[in-house]
């Protein structure tokens, strides 16, 4: 059995989920990490017993010669880091975090760099591997709801942040239908960011696919009943309610709403690490000549385009046809063009608490010794800083 030398770029929260997946696989050997923040790097190396740590991708690629690399940095770095990693001589596969990129041009550059260097690119829409979504896809393809007509998606905390999972997920369970056009509306009265990316206060979009299928997505319009892993789909002969672990069906053969049997091996708890392991296994099969990964860069690029088209429709006040012409980030363009004036000044970042560049590392260590997980420590430090 070949063991793939693997490296992780960015030692924050989601990198820990990648590691939980890698730990389940015998053919993965995590040899190195990269993070410019020394404490982030050393904590992570200690926690998972990883031998090599570097402050730059360049040094890691030369010294560690990884074959698989996880890109776990913030969105605005996904394109440049992926492009740099793809050029590493030893690299065969990359798992880049979601959202793939902020703007279609960046996604295209990532795909090009990987194609030019013979690297397989997967994007971590890892929920494509959850048992609920897999089973729902199976029975929808089997005709359980007739011809699918409308998917209803409700998310919060940013379209690119949560909406990417929902749009991508609904595409997955509906067998990646071909999009035709998008109409969107966007509000941004506050100077809102998410992991350093300018985002909207709220937005909604109607996405029209071939065969009259439509997705309606609302983002940050509701606080309750929002979930990136959950959607409701209506078809000509039935309705289906889908979460990552529960699927409920209503059609002419059911007695009202009925729960569908799905294959749950270890219950809900196992999903985090297992989905990351599954997406890695599928990447390895793709590297070794198997079929395209279900969460490939090609698939994720379409999700990026649909999200960008929602913004572009609001920017142009018109229906946007797919493929769309605009390749940069339409929301940022709207901000620059003065189309979204901020009426409540003051920049804020809804994931700013994750920024480790200016925290009290001694206090971090105390909280870690108390047994708190990384993201809770970061939230706690943020709250403590506010009250100081
Ligand atoms: N798939 C999912 O369900 C899921 C869940 C959470 C986060 N994410 C995604 O993962 C990405 C990272 O989010 P996070 O919450 O882990 O952030 P985080 O802030 O916890 O971690 C990011 C890490 O990257 C490091 N870093 C910054 N610049 C770097 C560089 N040039 N090279 C190497 N490391 C660098 C930071 O020091 C930090 O330790 C985001 O794009 C986010 O959307 C995905």
């Amino acid at each position: 059995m070949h063991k793939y030398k693997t490296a992780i770029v960015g030692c924050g929260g989601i990198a820990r989920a990648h590691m939980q997946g890698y730990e389940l696989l015998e053919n993965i050997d995590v040899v190195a990490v990269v993070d410019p923040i020394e404490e982030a790097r050393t904590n992570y190396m200690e926690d998972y017993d990883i031998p090599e740590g570097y402050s730059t991708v360049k040094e890691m690629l030369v010294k560690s010669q990884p074959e698989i690399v996880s890109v776990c940095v913030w969105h605005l770095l996904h394109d440049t880091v992926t492009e740099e990693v793809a050029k590493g001589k030893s690299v065969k596969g990359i798992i880049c975090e979601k959202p793939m990129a902020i703007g279609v041009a960046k996604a295209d550059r990532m795909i090009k760099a990987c194609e030019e260097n013979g690297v397989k690119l997967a994007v971590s829409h890892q929920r494509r591997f959850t048992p609920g979504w897999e089973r729902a896809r199976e029975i929808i393809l089997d005709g359980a709801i007739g011809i699918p007509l409308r998917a209803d998606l409700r998310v919060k905390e940013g379209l690119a942040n949560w909406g990417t999972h929902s749009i991508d997920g609904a595409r997955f369970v509906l067998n990646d239908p071909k999009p035709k056009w998008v109409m969107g509306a966007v509000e941004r009265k506050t100077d809102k960011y998410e992991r350093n990316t300018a985002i909207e206060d709220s937005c909604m979009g109607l996405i029209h696919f071939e065969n009259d299928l439509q997705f309606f997505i609302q983002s940050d319009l509701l606080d309750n009943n929002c979930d990136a892993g959950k959607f409701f789909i209506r078809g000509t002969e039935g309705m289906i309610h889908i979460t990552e672990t529960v699927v409920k069906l209503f059609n002419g053969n059911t007695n009202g709403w009925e729960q569908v049997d799905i294959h749950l091996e270890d219950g809900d708890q196992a999903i985090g690490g297992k989905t990351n392991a599954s997406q890695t296994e599928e990447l390895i099969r793709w590297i070794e000549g198997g079929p395209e990964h279900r969460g490939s860069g090609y698939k994720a690029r379409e999700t990026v385009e649909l999200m960008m088209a929602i913004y572009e429709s609001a920017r142009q006040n018109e229906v946007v046809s797919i493929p769309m012409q605009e390749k940069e980030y339409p929301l940022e363009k709207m901000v620059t063009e003065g189309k979204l004036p901020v009426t409540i000044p003051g920049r804020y970042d809804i994931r700013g608490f994750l920024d480790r560049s200016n925290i009290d590392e001694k206090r971090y260590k105390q909280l870690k010794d108390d047994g708190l997980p990384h993201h809770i420590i970061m939230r706690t430090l943020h709250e403590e800083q506010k009250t100081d």
Side-chain angles (χ1 to χ4, degrees), residues 12-14 35-36 73-75 78 97-98 124 126 165 195 354:
I14 199 62
D35 202 298
V73 291
W74 285 7
H75 330 330
H78 287 175
E97 261 310 328
K98 55 57 40 178
S124 193
Q126 79 282 11
H165 277 305
R195 293 187 176 87
L354 294 173

Side-chain angles (χ1 to χ4, degrees), residues 83-311:
E83 286 175 80
E84 187 178 6
V85 170
K87 289 176 191 152
K89 288 205 170 12
S90 54
V91 178
K92 295 178 177 152
I94 297 175
I95 302 177
C96 175
E97 261 310 328
K98 55 57 40 178
M100 179 181 185
I102 303 296
V104 173
K106 291 182 175 186
D108 285 341
R109 284 200 295 272
M110 292 163 73
I111 288 175
K112 185 163 179 269
C114 287
E115 281 180 348
E116 283 175 356
N117 291 284
V119 171
K120 304 291 189 225
L121 173 63
V123 171
S124 193
H125 284 128
Q126 79 282 11
R127 297 168 194 224
R128 282 185 178 236
F129 293 87
T130 54
W133 288 19
E134 284 181 321
R135 185 78 180 108
R137 182 174 196 273
E138 231 169 60
I139 65 173
I140 291 171
L141 280 173
D142 238 23
I145 59 167
I147 300 165
L149 296 173
R150 172 73 78 101
D152 189 12
L153 322 173
R154 297 173 175 189
V155 295
K156 58 181 184 178
E157 302 189 2
L159 180 70
N161 185 25
W162 282 29
T164 188
H165 277 305
S166 276
I167 293 174
D168 190 79
R171 288 181 53 227
F172 172 65
V173 302
L174 291 162
N175 203 21
D176 293 301
K178 196 172 156 33
K180 298 274 196 197
W181 55 258
V182 174
M183 181 106 196
V186 176
E187 177 178 284
R188 188 175 190 272
K189 291 187 173 168
T190 69
D191 200 11
K192 189 173 178 182
Y193 287 76
E194 182 267 314
R195 293 187 176 87
N196 229 8
T197 305
I199 61 162
E200 66 289 339
D201 289 340
S202 55
C203 70
M204 63 183 191
L206 183 67
I207 306 171
H208 186 89
F209 296 85
E210 61 189 354
N211 299 328
D212 287 341
L213 169 66
Q214 296 187 325
F215 293 2
F216 182 64
I217 181 160
Q218 38 185 314
S219 185
D220 289 296
L221 283 162
L222 297 166
D223 205 34
N224 298 325
N225 201 16
C226 289
D227 191 335
K230 188 164 94 179
F231 22 81
F232 172 78
I233 304 173
R234 180 168 56 81
T236 49
E237 287 166 47
M239 298 179 282
I240 190 164
H241 202 278
I242 304 163
T243 77
E244 291 165 52
T245 51
V246 178
V247 177
K248 289 181 185 157
L249 177 67
F250 187 115
N251 67 18
N253 299 321
T254 63
N255 184 14
W257 280 101
E258 274 181 12
Q259 193 155 328
V260 175
D261 275 341
I262 61 174
H263 189 56
L264 259 188
E265 269 172 15
D266 312 311
D268 303 6
Q269 303 308 320
I271 281 184
K274 242 183 118 181
T275 55
N276 281 292
S278 302
Q279 70 174 354
T280 306
E281 288 177 309
E282 198 158 297
L283 176 65
I284 290 174
R285 283 198 289 277
W286 193 20
I287 290 171
E288 293 179 351
E292 183 185 319
H293 194 277
R294 74 182 73 173
S296 70
Y298 303 112
K299 296 258 165 49
R301 186 228 183 258
E302 280 190 32
T303 294
V304 171
E305 183 168 28
L306 295 175
M307 295 191 295
M308 296 303 131
I310 290 174
Y311 298 131

Side-chain angles (χ1 to χ4, degrees), residues 16 364 367-368 371-378:
R16 291 175 180 268
Y364 182 101
L367 294 169
K368 188 161 185 267
L372 295 186
H374 172 78
H375 68 284
I376 302 286
I377 299 178
M378 296 306 286

Side-chain angles (χ1 to χ4, degrees), residues 55-67:
S55 60
T56 66
V57 169
K58 192 175 173 192
E59 196 181 355
M60 180 277 289
L61 289 173
V62 173
K63 295 197 174 149
S64 305
Q65 300 280 311
E67 296 166 281

